[in-house]
Amino acid sequence: MPRRLLIRIAIAVAILILLPPLFAGGLFLWMRAQQPQTAGNVALPGLDAPVEIIRDAHGVPHIFATNERDAYRALGYAHAQDRLWQMETMRRAGSGRLAELVGTRFGDFALRNDRMMRTLGVRRSAEAMLGTLSAQARDAFEAYAEGVNAYLDTRREALPIEFQLLRHTPEPWTPTDSLVWAKLMGLQLSANYRDELFRARVLEKLTPQQVDDLFPPDPPGSPVTLAAELRGLNLQQELRRTLAALPDLGFDTASNEWALTGARTTTGKPIVANDPHLGLDAPILWYLARIVTPQYSIAGATVPGVPLHVLGHNGKVAWGFTTTHSDTQDLFVEKIDPQDPARYTGPDGPLPFENRAETIRIDGQPDETLTVRATRHGPVISDLEGGGATPSGHVLALSFPGLSDDDSSAEALYRLNHAENAEGVREALRLHVAPQQNVVYADRAGEVGLISPARVPIRRKGDGRVPVPGWTGEYDWTGFLPYYALPQAVNPPSGQFVNANNAIVGADYPYRIATEWPDPSRAKRIVEMLGTSRHSVDDVAHQQMDSVSLPARELLPELLKYPVPRGMATDAVALLKTWDGTMSRDRPEPLIFEAWLRELVRTVFADELGPDFASYWDLRPAALVRVLRDKPQWCDDVATSATETCGDAIAAALTDALTALEKRHGSTVARWRWGDEHRAALKHRMLGAVPLLGGMTDLSIETDGGFFTVNRGTTRIRDAAAPFAHVHGAGYRGVYDLADLDNSRFVIATGQSGNPLSRHWGDLVSMWRDGGSLRLSGDRGTLTTAGAEVLTLTPRNTGTNQ
């Protein structure tokens, strides 16, 4: 039975269960009318001239318009046709209005999210961002909103199933709704405050040297792309409660990018590669689109709800992003005035808290009123679980440039979309505020560059790794790094820029960007693959799919020095001794190694960290190498009277890992497969929880790769139910050929549509998994000859609906 028919049946059953008033005939008509119109003519208000939305064989819209404003209207219309539910949940998440829609049907995440967004004032900040836009950029956002609303007003089909299940009708779209996404990304990609909370907690029980052991520095030769006053304060309750109250915004960000000069390519012109890594969902965050007007063209990755291209090329320049993982956030411990709890202590005396009340509506429950306080440093986040003065008389306030009223990051992206050359890219990014990103770029003339734009704070004192006193003024920010001082370079002598979230600058850089950097393994592997030779576009696309784990190659020899128990462990070790570290879904070795590593991290560190281990538990090869080579005292279990060695810990961890795997996969080690547990979690967040429908709409697929491979396959090993599921990775891949930008390559992880009934719901999954790609090019004639669907949007006063 065809998959789409099975999904239709599941939807019918789900609706009959959840919406009894619907009768059979109406249900049939509703289901049949679910597909948006993708061919023919539709009359829309506000258009200056007809616009064609030509959807290719994979549902990617190629928008041909006579001017940009009409093109942005058409993009808003296409986004709303294909991803309206995604857009709705995005704006509600950022505005702190999720609970109003879903209540607590799916746990308490929606309510926790709303409290956080209201406390931070994300919607307010997005409204302020609207005022920073130039007239041209504001036109783009307004035209896009007009296109979304034109779809809502003219659609013939029923709203997507998610709206039907919740009996919800969306409100009109506004430019501020689009800007909310910029704020969400700023928060998701700049979550240093979580690290500060964790460090402050564990410093209560561990020495600073022990904490450094948990986060060892990069070893020499790794790629480089370019407070005492709190001692004695009992902040454990505030720190633990605050961290527990924060919603999971998905800060497991990682990405790859590299740019080659013409001297390093077979074409003689630059090649730029980029694959951003974020959480995996169905549909994926990204949506491919191309715009063509007489004066302007652009192709690449958009986000439904936003009119601008986040990644791609505009026919003149191409660019890619990775997250810098810099420290642009600080938590300040504010001292409440003991004489007046409505005030807090500043360097020159008491100051009043800024207060506002936020009403959170919760579907099916009474409204919740949240009192939000702010200090001179920013919003008080330790009030998230009820507000009021904390027992110790202190609160935690967050400073972050991304919450400022003059954040011009949206304007920067608009100008980047319209950059004429490499210099235009640099000028555009002068306006970028948050989050800090490493931007590689190249133009058709052959210039290649890298820059890391953002507002990076200059601190009077401290390194930003732990919360600091706010009442003394000693740790205040004195300003931000000037643009010229940010990490940047052009046309490198090596002929390449490589960044995979590794250190962007070395120890000789005169300013502090970050104290720690993510593991450099992916960058090492990319540099290794590039070598000193020339590369083609096909070579680079193939490199993006590389699944070799350098940490596996480094750590395994350390583990295999020690004897292991007989039996199954002997069989497992025999396989690992000949393994080259490639994380192939068809092999048992990746599963054995990852399970062993998972258990060894727990065996070595859980006893010292106690309840805080859950926040630390991850794959930690660098920390384990440090322990095995230099810090064997960590191998001793402090909870026992005996003294355990690292050999004991390694053997025990292997036994535990194999015992767990045997329960799930049987006793024949050679038959185990990484892909049996390592599956890209391409699931719909809401529909996945609906009986019958969840399984039918699940696009999950076995994948290669792992946490440390270029083909990133991040796992969440602290998840007892699915420790090796692929939950985070390259939802989008792009390779841009500056010799012929029409030869550039694009792919997203799922499909263009967010409608499970559409043939484009998951038609790109296998292509994405196996390294395939699309080209976003062709004129009207070429596209229509290839079987594309043509939807013509006409001005309402000259056209008719057909």
Side-chain angles (χ1 to χ4, degrees):
M1 187 178 294
R3 181 182 179 86
R4 288 175 66 202
L5 179 56
L6 290 173
I7 293 174
R8 285 176 182 250
I9 294 171
I11 289 174
V13 173
I15 292 175
L16 286 172
I17 292 172
L18 298 175
L19 297 179
L22 289 176
F23 52 90
L27 174 63
F28 174 77
L29 293 174
W30 173 79
M31 290 179 61
R32 190 173 65 177
Q34 277 301 288
Q35 300 305 306
Q37 182 178 346
T38 55
N41 298 295
V42 175
L44 298 187
L47 288 175
D48 297 324
V51 181
E52 289 179 321
I53 302 178
I54 303 178
R55 282 181 167 85
D56 64 22
H58 293 284
V60 178
H62 301 246
I63 296 171
F64 291 87
T66 59
N67 60 68
E68 281 188 45
R69 190 173 180 91
D70 279 352
Y72 287 124
R73 288 189 182 101
L75 182 62
Y77 189 90
H79 276 171
Q81 282 187 303
D82 290 331
R83 300 283 192 92
L84 187 61
W85 176 250
Q86 178 183 346
M87 296 166 64
E88 179 72 3
T89 53
M90 178 275 289
R91 68 169 167 179
R92 283 182 170 273
S95 301
R97 295 180 60 194
L98 269 183
E100 179 181 336
L101 181 63
V102 302
T104 56
R105 289 182 181 88
F106 307 101
D108 66 349
F109 172 80
L111 184 55
R112 293 171 63 200
N113 173 86
D114 289 356
R115 290 169 180 157
M116 181 68 169
M117 295 301 117
R118 299 295 187 94
T119 296
L120 298 180
V122 171
R123 178 82 187 189
R124 291 167 172 261
S125 184
E127 290 169 350
M129 179 181 270
L130 188 63
T132 70
L133 296 179
S134 64
Q136 296 87 348
R138 187 162 185 145
D139 277 350
F141 281 83
E142 290 176 346
Y144 179 86
E146 290 170 8
V148 175
N149 292 328
Y151 170 73
L152 295 176
D153 292 340
T154 63
R155 63 180 173 82
R156 291 181 173 181
E157 68 272 14
L159 288 167
I161 182 176
E162 300 93 339
F163 292 91
Q164 301 292 332
L165 293 175
L166 294 174
R167 306 183 195 186
H168 173 66
T169 301
E171 300 166 358
W173 195 263
T174 70
T176 299
D177 293 331
S178 296
L179 293 168
V180 161
W181 181 79
K183 296 298 180 180
L184 285 175
M185 281 293 98
L187 287 170
Q188 184 175 348
L189 304 181
S190 308
N192 172 260
Y193 65 91
R194 284 182 171 273
D195 295 335
E196 291 187 34
L197 287 169
F198 175 78
R199 281 181 171 278
R201 282 167 53 182
V202 299
L203 277 169
E204 293 288 330
K205 65 180 74 171
L206 301 179
T207 67
Q209 180 57 57
Q210 285 178 304
V211 175
D212 286 344
D213 290 343
L214 296 174
F215 303 97
D218 292 346
S222 295
V224 173
T225 309
L226 277 181
E229 291 86 347
L230 296 182
R231 291 175 187 162
L233 286 182
N234 181 17
L235 295 175
Q236 279 295 295
Q237 182 177 352
E238 287 79 17
L239 296 170
R240 192 177 302 278
R241 183 170 53 81
T242 301
L243 191 56
L246 297 175
D248 182 3
L249 297 180
F251 186 69
D252 185 9
T253 58
S255 305
N256 302 319
E257 66 181 5
W258 59 100
L260 303 176
T261 65
R264 295 293 307 282
T265 70
T266 58
T267 66
K269 290 289 187 178
I271 295 174
V272 174
N274 182 215
D275 50 292
H277 306 167
L278 295 167
L280 298 180
D281 289 301
I284 202 66
L285 170 71
W286 307 104
Y287 180 95
L288 299 176
R290 177 183 175 221
I291 288 174
V292 179
T293 74
Q295 294 80 32
Y296 175 67
S297 67
I298 193 165
T302 67
V303 172
V306 181
L308 306 178
H309 278 67
V310 181
L311 303 163
H313 74 80
N314 66 6
K316 299 172 182 178
V317 299
W319 66 91
F321 293 166
T322 62
T323 297
T324 309
H325 285 261
S326 54
D327 184 355
T328 59
Q329 296 180 335
D330 276 347
L331 285 175
F332 286 89
V333 180
E334 308 284 18
K335 186 185 296 183
I336 296 175
D337 183 354
Q339 305 302 318
D340 183 358
R343 302 169 73 87
Y344 66 98
T345 303
D348 300 317
L351 296 167
F353 284 102
E354 297 177 23
N355 295 282
R356 71 175 188 273
E358 295 277 354
T359 299
I360 300 176
R361 292 183 171 85
I362 308 169
D363 184 55
Q365 299 180 34
D367 295 350
E368 176 179 293
T369 299
L370 181 69
T371 299
V372 176
R373 297 188 290 179
T375 74
R376 65 193 185 94
H377 293 117
V380 173
I381 66 170
S382 55
D383 283 351
L384 281 170
E385 284 298 316
T390 59
S392 65
H394 297 81
V395 295
L396 297 171
L398 174 67
S399 283
F400 176 43
L403 298 176
S404 64
D405 287 345
D406 62 344
D407 179 0
S408 53
S409 300
E411 178 71 24
L413 184 59
Y414 175 83
R415 297 191 187 190
L416 175 61
N417 277 205
H418 291 77
E420 296 282 331
N421 50 35
E423 179 60 28
V425 171
R426 293 188 287 272
E427 285 301 310
L429 294 175
R430 285 180 177 273
L431 298 174
H432 182 72
V433 172
Q436 188 168 26
Q437 298 284 282
N438 309 315
V439 184
V440 293
Y441 57 91
D443 64 17
R444 290 190 305 179
E447 184 168 342
V448 172
L450 181 144
I451 189 167
S452 302
R455 286 184 186 166
V456 178
I458 300 172
R459 298 170 175 86
R460 282 197 178 121
K461 183 179 178 181
D463 61 10
R465 294 199 292 173
V466 294
V468 293
W471 61 88
T472 68
E474 294 177 83
Y475 296 86
D476 285 0
W477 296 355
T478 61
F480 303 99
L481 289 184
Y483 188 70
Y484 70 81
L486 294 169
Q488 55 190 297
V490 297
N491 300 328
S494 65
Q496 65 189 44
F497 287 117
V498 174
N499 186 264
N501 311 110
N502 55 295
I504 194 71
V505 293
D508 57 344
Y509 183 69
Y511 309 101
R512 199 189 71 80
I513 300 292
T515 304
E516 297 156 355
W517 305 93
D519 184 276
S521 299
R522 285 176 289 117
K524 286 183 181 179
R525 179 59 180 166
I526 294 167
V527 170
E528 181 181 287
M529 288 189 291
L530 291 175
T532 58
S533 59
R534 293 175 180 264
H535 300 276
S536 67
V537 171
D538 288 336
D539 293 336
V540 171
H542 181 72
Q543 290 158 2
Q544 286 183 322
M545 301 304 297
D546 183 76
S547 295
V548 171
S549 170
L550 294 187
R553 289 181 173 181
E554 180 183 17
L555 182 57
L556 261 180
E558 298 290 335
L559 302 182
L560 297 177
K561 290 178 182 177
Y562 298 90
V564 298
R566 294 189 177 186
M568 189 180 298
T570 302
D571 295 339
V573 166
L575 289 169
L576 293 175
K577 284 181 177 178
T578 60
W579 181 46
D580 68 353
T582 300
M583 305 288 288
S584 170
R585 62 182 181 270
D586 294 324
R587 295 295 306 169
E589 293 91 347
L591 184 57
I592 298 167
F593 175 73
E594 294 281 294
W596 193 1
L597 183 56
R598 175 181 189 263
E599 292 301 327
L600 186 56
V601 170
R602 177 162 57 180
T603 301
V604 170
F605 298 114
D607 53 323
E608 282 89 356
L609 289 174
D612 293 314
F613 175 69
S615 298
Y616 180 76
W617 197 10
D618 218 328
L619 299 174
R620 303 277 183 180
L624 289 175
V625 168
R626 185 185 183 101
V627 166
L628 297 177
R629 293 177 180 173
D630 303 315
K631 304 284 184 175
Q633 61 269 25
W634 282 93
C635 293
D636 178 40
D637 186 348
V638 298
T640 70
S641 58
T643 301
E644 289 83 8
T645 67
C646 287
D648 296 331
I650 288 169
L654 180 59
T655 298
D656 290 345
L658 295 178
T659 299
L661 292 177
E662 182 183 19
K663 291 179 180 178
R664 298 197 294 270
H665 303 292
S667 59
T668 307
V669 176
R671 293 182 181 175
W672 296 350
R673 297 174 66 257
W674 179 228
D676 288 340
E677 298 211 26
H678 192 254
R679 295 174 58 86
L682 301 174
K683 302 178 181 180
H684 192 294
R685 291 193 180 186
M686 174 183 165
L687 300 183
V690 176
L692 295 179
L693 190 55
M696 293 294 182
T697 59
D698 188 348
L699 298 174
S700 299
I701 191 172
E702 294 182 358
T703 53
D704 300 321
F707 196 100
F708 302 103
T709 60
V710 176
N711 179 15
R712 183 74 180 262
T714 305
T715 55
R716 188 170 291 130
I717 65 168
R718 66 192 69 172
D719 180 355
F724 307 115
H726 179 178
V727 298
H728 176 279
Y732 165 79
R733 296 189 188 97
V735 179
Y736 314 118
D737 181 1
L738 275 297
D740 177 11
L741 283 165
D742 284 347
N743 187 43
S744 300
R745 315 297 170 82
F746 309 85
V747 74
I748 60 174
T750 54
Q752 289 286 98
S753 177
N755 187 338
L757 293 172
S758 169
R759 66 180 184 275
H760 300 306
W761 162 246
D763 58 334
L764 296 176
V765 172
S766 295
M767 178 187 293
W768 165 79
R769 191 270 305 273
D770 296 333
S773 61
L774 306 174
R775 290 168 177 76
L776 304 187
S777 60
D779 56 22
R780 293 176 175 86
T782 303
L783 290 165
T784 54
T785 300
E789 297 177 299
V790 181
L791 178 66
T792 302
L793 307 180
T794 59
R796 176 166 284 173
N797 59 344
T798 62
T800 57
N801 288 331
Q802 296 182 8

